[in-house]
Amino acid sequence: MQNAILKFEQLLNENASCFPEISSEILESRIPGKWSKKEILGHLTDSAIHNLVRFTEINYLQKPYHHRPYNQIDLVNLNQYQQMDIRELTQLWLSVNKQIIRIMKSVDEKALEYEIILSDGAVIDLKFLMTDYVEHLEHHINQIKS
């Protein structure tokens, strides 16, 4: 878990100041059927919000925890990330992720083994969900920076 946390902190530290430096033209350009780089950051914000809820709820809701998916496309559109100021969007993304890091650092070793049932019936644990979150974050950050 410690490696995932270190990687997570590094991703935030290296990229929080980078995103506002990208030109609006690059951030907002879209490939048909795809999100813009700004919308990808918005998707990462939505992901952070939902995962913060998951990472905290699992500690007090009945076990096993049932993972609830969310409509990623609708959320990006409804939150109007394409029109949002990049500094404001980056700050929102950063703030929620800093809270996730606090949760990850304080999670009990036993809690990392809590079972999570995905919507397709597959079973994972909290440790997998947390480390997968960091991998997801890295994947999309690389898309924004490319």
Side-chain angles (χ1 to χ4, degrees):
M1 198 67 226
Q2 190 60 31
N3 288 339
I5 293 169
L6 291 173
K7 183 179 197 175
F8 191 3
E9 289 177 318
Q10 182 179 1
L11 287 168
L12 295 184
N13 292 334
E14 289 176 356
N15 294 289
S17 61
C18 167
F19 296 148
E21 301 302 319
I22 301 171
S23 75
S24 294
E25 182 180 336
I26 291 171
L27 284 171
E28 295 172 5
S29 87
R30 283 190 182 124
I31 298 169
K34 301 280 185 179
W35 285 328
S36 69
K37 293 176 184 297
K38 191 187 266 188
E39 289 171 320
I40 292 170
L41 185 57
H43 162 67
L44 287 175
T45 302
D46 292 334
S47 177
I49 291 166
H50 281 82
N51 279 290
L52 177 60
V53 170
R54 291 171 180 148
F55 297 163
T56 53
E57 276 185 344
I58 194 168
N59 290 286
Y60 62 84
L61 290 180
Q62 183 177 356
K63 311 299 182 285
Y65 181 80
H66 290 267
H67 180 278
R68 295 178 311 277
Y70 60 96
N71 190 317
Q72 300 172 15
I73 295 169
D74 284 348
L75 279 178
V76 166
N77 293 333
L78 288 166
N79 283 302
Q80 302 176 21
Y81 293 123
Q82 186 74 348
Q83 291 76 39
M84 197 170 182
D85 176 78
I86 188 59
R87 285 175 171 58
E88 184 180 350
L89 177 54
T90 301
Q91 188 58 48
L92 177 60
W93 169 78
L94 183 61
S95 295
V96 177
N97 277 294
K98 283 183 175 182
Q99 183 60 25
I100 291 174
I101 287 176
R102 285 184 200 92
I103 297 296
M104 288 174 76
K105 284 181 173 180
S106 67
V107 71
D108 182 270
E109 285 293 319
K110 186 176 179 181
L112 290 173
E113 298 174 9
Y114 288 159
E115 284 190 349
I116 299 169
I117 299 176
L118 303 179
S119 57
D120 67 0
V123 179
I124 60 171
D125 60 21
L126 180 58
K127 182 177 182 177
F128 178 86
L129 188 62
M130 287 181 162
T131 55
D132 186 62
Y133 175 75
V134 176
E135 296 300 319
H136 173 259
L137 181 70
E138 182 177 39
H139 167 74
H140 285 304
I141 285 174
N142 289 336
Q143 287 181 318
I144 294 168
K145 293 171 72 173
S146 66

